[in-house]
Amino acid sequence: MKSVTSKKTDLTVRKNRELTAILEVSKVLTTSFVLEKNLSSVMSTLGSHLDMQRGCVFLLDPLSGELKIVAAHGLAKANIVKGKYRIGEGIVGRVIEKRTPMVIPNIGKEPLFLNKTGSRPEKDGISFLSVPIELKKEALGVLSVDRIYSKKHGSIDDDIRVLKIIASLIAQFIKLWESYEQVEQEKEKLKRELKGKYNVENIIGQSDRMQEVFESVHRVAPSKATVLLRGESGTGKELIAKAIHYMSPRSRERFIKFNCASIPEGLLESELFGHEKGAFTGAISSRSGKFELAHKGTILLDEIGDLPLALQPKILRVLQEREFERVGSEKTIKVDVRIITATSRDLEALASRGKFREDLYYRLNVIPIFLPSLHEREEDIPVLIDYFLRKFNKENKRSVVLDESALKVLLNYQWPGNVRELENSIERLVIMSSSDRIGAKDLPVSLSISRAAKPDQTTSLTMDIEEIERSNLYNALEKSGWVQAKAARLLGITPRQMGYKIKKYGLGNHRG
Ligand SMILES: Nc1ncnc2c1ncn2[C@@H]1O[C@H](COP(=O)(O)OP(=O)(O)O)[C@@H](O)[C@H]1O
Ligand SMILES: [Mg+2]
């Protein structure tokens, strides 16, 4: 009598455990859409509720016809990778081939058992149970577990029955996961296509920030609207201005660039608006200014923030009326010109200090486009490096590549001079490198100052004095928009010394 009761209780306990395990598994499978994570939790549930150890889910890769472990419980990572079977190979391979469960009562005595993962040092006494994962006749994979049978818990048949239920739950989850993945992939694809939509020729920018810039460029290009380009020196303002011009209906007309910070104040007006013969000493003949030259085309007024106050009303009038007079003339000239302005200065601060007219500020600020600094869009750095390597390799008939270590250094650098500095650095590397493969050790020390350190404070003994000087020089030139006289003042040296140093460090041929 007693033994019958205890058998009955054992059975009830067993049934309860089965139900709990199945319930647990179905819960686990709906917690997320992360395949590995969910399946691993299923395996550990089987371990804790049903004493099934080393559970594995193999999924069939329809392309390679291989079964690969996607989730495993009680297996080391290295062993997981080793668990690969072809259809028909080993027990697992046969289960998927025959679509029927298989049991090896004692794997120690079974030659078919390949133990590829090498995870069972002592094979004797372990049973191996394996069931196919399938849905509507489609084979998806295999679920397998190890089991040590004691007289107490259940039978192989019980276990197979439960495993079949679990396998069907897993099959449904995998189907669900696949359709979810498909939707995600399509979303990604759409995103990528959308990104491609805003390509601007010869301008690199995969980052969201640059994509926004490109989108604005596409929007404003067809119109005649005045655009204000803002961003640090070297972020690509001039490049964007040109893109706007070449994507506009004016593309066949001229693109005239004028840097408001480049010449002395006294000469600015006549440069921009032209002058009549005898308008001032030295004006031996009449001459047209940049606005006239840009008639029908586009003019870029670079460093507009440096425009002297005295000239600002005249520019405002051109912006509003498209008219002006040459220096020394009463005759009003009308031009049809698209005006793009650019600045690296804080116009708001200038305006609040009375250095920049507010009415001009508002007139310019109708369509501002902000160019992010390079370190605000690090994901573009590798793409830019690739682009410039290609460009300068071609120009110099070289085939220089950067190795991982060099790339890492460049990714870690702050790039105060933005894309211009990156471009110049790559050009220098391509030209100067004696080998075709550049490693971190081949990079100039100034580039190895990582973002974490402040460039001005890094005066470690290992740093070459010349590199410090060069980087100071570079920073000063950047800050002053590459106007040498200004940079000299910043550094407290004479323009002559400046000229000498620029030559010494090969900073002269920069494009800006
Ligand atoms: N996104 C970019 N893709 C490719 N080259 C770029 C990009 N941005 C800037 N450059 C290059 O960097 C240099 C500096 O750009 P530039 O337009 O003169 O900057 P800014 O006018 O803002 O100082 C130029 O040689 C330009 O061709
Ligand atoms: Mg510029």
Side-chain angles (χ1 to χ4, degrees):
M1 264 322 260
K2 205 178 168 201
S3 74
V4 174
T5 339
S6 83
K7 212 173 175 185
K8 249 190 180 162
T9 358
D10 277 355
L11 210 68
T12 329
V13 169
R14 162 76 196 185
K15 285 279 168 219
N16 275 340
R17 281 173 151 211
E18 279 179 12
L19 284 174
T20 320
I22 291 167
L23 184 69
E24 199 61 29
V25 165
S26 58
K27 261 198 222 155
V28 156
L29 284 175
T30 49
T31 51
S32 79
F33 267 122
V34 185
L35 185 73
E36 288 85 1
K37 185 179 150 234
N38 281 13
L39 294 180
S40 300
S41 310
V42 170
M43 298 302 103
S44 66
T45 306
L46 295 183
S48 54
H49 289 283
L50 297 172
D51 294 327
M52 295 174 173
Q53 303 309 323
R54 278 188 285 272
C56 271
V57 175
F58 299 81
L59 285 190
L60 184 64
D61 177 352
L63 289 180
S64 66
E66 259 182 355
L67 281 163
K68 285 179 199 150
I69 298 185
V70 286
H73 182 60
L75 260 188
K77 260 248 153 65
N79 289 335
I80 291 183
V81 188
K82 286 189 242 157
K84 270 189 201 165
Y85 296 85
R86 306 202 61 82
I87 296 177
E89 181 192 20
I91 309 284
V92 171
R94 289 194 170 202
V95 168
I96 193 114
E97 189 185 39
K98 306 255 188 296
R99 308 279 180 84
T100 170
M102 277 183 87
V103 176
I104 310 296
N106 187 345
I107 58 175
K109 301 203 169 84
E110 177 55 58
L112 254 186
F113 193 80
L114 302 176
N115 195 22
K116 275 201 183 180
T117 60
S119 55
R120 301 172 186 87
E122 280 174 51
K123 298 193 285 184
D124 211 33
I126 297 179
S127 305
F128 180 78
L129 284 67
S130 179
V131 297
I133 299 173
E134 55 185 344
L135 196 75
K136 293 187 195 142
K137 302 255 155 63
E138 186 192 352
L140 302 173
V142 172
L143 165 65
S144 74
V145 295
D146 280 10
R147 183 90 152 85
I148 302 173
Y149 286 102
S150 59
K151 277 166 222 120
K152 236 170 100 190
H153 322 100
S155 66
I156 285 185
D157 288 346
D158 286 336
D159 281 344
I160 290 293
R161 188 175 36 78
V162 178
L163 283 177
K164 275 169 140 179
I165 298 173
I166 306 276
S168 80
L169 289 175
I170 292 178
Q172 288 173 41
F173 167 71
I174 288 169
K175 277 287 150 194
L176 212 66
W177 174 80
E178 277 177 357
S179 57
Y180 169 80
E181 279 292 289
Q182 212 170 353
V183 170
E184 285 300 297
Q185 274 170 15
E186 255 149 46
K187 267 200 227 155
E188 270 304 304
K189 194 168 152 240
L190 265 177
K191 236 191 199 164
R192 254 181 283 128
E193 280 170 6
L194 214 61
K195 280 199 168 183
K197 192 173 158 193
Y198 293 117
N199 271 352
V200 176
E201 222 180 315
N202 293 328
I203 307 187
I204 307 297
Q206 309 284 310
S207 58
D208 291 346
R209 294 285 305 273
M210 282 308 283
Q211 286 296 313
E212 281 166 26
V213 169
F214 294 167
E215 191 181 343
S216 309
V217 168
H218 279 266
R219 285 229 180 93
V220 301
S223 75
K224 201 182 157 182
T226 301
V227 175
L228 171 62
L229 299 167
R230 305 193 61 169
E232 291 171 16
S233 181
T235 47
K237 297 186 295 296
E238 190 177 330
L239 207 57
I240 292 290
K242 281 186 189 145
I244 293 175
H245 172 71
Y246 287 109
M247 286 162 70
S248 81
R250 301 170 171 256
S251 61
R252 286 161 179 274
E253 306 293 336
R254 281 210 257 186
F255 176 84
I256 301 281
K257 179 204 158 186
F258 184 77
N259 189 331
C260 303
S262 65
I263 55 170
E265 188 172 339
L267 294 175
L268 264 181
E269 186 175 5
S270 107
E271 276 295 316
L272 280 172
F273 304 106
H275 60 77
E276 289 301 331
K277 189 174 169 181
F280 48 84
T281 341
I284 41 173
S285 59
S286 57
R287 196 168 155 238
S288 43
K290 298 289 184 196
F291 277 109
E292 274 177 74
L293 291 175
H295 182 53
K296 291 205 159 110
T298 305
I299 189 168
L300 166 64
L301 300 175
D302 205 355
E303 297 305 346
I304 190 80
D306 292 69
L307 194 70
L309 261 178
L311 265 181
Q312 291 179 13
K314 221 171 160 174
I315 294 286
L316 185 63
R317 183 163 157 236
V318 181
L319 278 164
Q320 282 169 342
E321 323 286 346
R322 295 292 191 278
E323 60 176 45
F324 56 89
E325 289 87 30
R326 285 181 175 179
V327 178
S329 163
E330 306 269 294
K331 203 178 115 214
T332 298
I333 296 173
K334 280 212 162 265
V335 284
D336 167 20
V337 60
R338 180 187 203 159
I339 301 169
I340 299 178
T341 57
T343 185
S344 55
R345 305 277 299 262
D346 182 348
L347 282 189
E348 291 74 13
L350 289 173
S352 72
R353 279 191 279 130
K355 296 254 162 63
F356 203 84
R357 288 177 68 109
E358 257 182 51
D359 46 7
L360 180 56
Y361 169 76
Y362 287 117
R363 188 64 191 73
L364 290 177
N365 212 16
V366 181
I367 304 174
I369 296 179
F370 291 87
L371 282 145
S373 67
L374 193 51
H375 89 98
E376 284 174 274
R377 49 180 178 114
E378 277 150 31
E379 65 258 55
D380 285 343
I381 297 178
V383 201
L384 280 163
I385 290 176
D386 198 53
Y387 173 77
F388 290 132
L389 270 179
R390 246 180 256 263
K391 175 177 164 188
F392 294 119
N393 274 330
K394 200 169 160 201
E395 267 181 38
N396 298 286
K397 300 201 171 60
R398 299 271 326 241
S399 47
V400 173
V401 292
L402 300 182
D403 75 7
E404 281 292 314
S405 69
L407 207 61
K408 212 170 138 194
V409 171
L410 298 188
L411 281 173
N412 243 315
Y413 179 64
Q414 175 88 21
W415 299 110
N418 296 298
V419 186
R420 176 178 296 117
E421 187 184 4
L422 179 70
E423 182 176 17
N424 291 345
S425 304
I426 300 292
E427 182 174 20
R428 255 166 58 104
L429 282 174
V430 169
I431 293 172
M432 305 300 280
S433 162
S434 49
S435 115
D436 269 353
R437 201 177 165 80
I438 294 175
K441 58 174 184 355
D442 306 315
L443 298 174
V445 186
S446 56
L447 292 180
S448 13
I449 308 167
S450 80
R451 233 172 291 125
K454 272 210 176 141
D456 297 346
Q457 292 174 351
T458 318
T459 41
S460 83
L461 287 174
T462 52
M463 196 166 165
D464 186 347
I465 298 289
E466 295 209 332
E467 285 298 347
I468 298 174
E469 184 166 41
R470 183 179 185 277
S471 106
N472 281 345
L473 204 63
Y474 192 95
N475 289 337
L477 281 162
E478 280 298 328
K479 271 188 204 139
S480 50
W482 289 82
V483 179
Q484 296 184 9
K486 261 194 186 173
R489 242 176 290 137
L490 263 179
L491 291 172
I493 58 177
T494 66
R496 227 182 107 83
Q497 286 169 322
M498 189 74 194
Y500 163 74
K501 283 182 199 293
I502 281 177
K503 225 172 163 181
K504 177 176 170 192
Y505 293 107
L507 291 168
N509 58 355
H510 112 103
R511 289 163 272 271

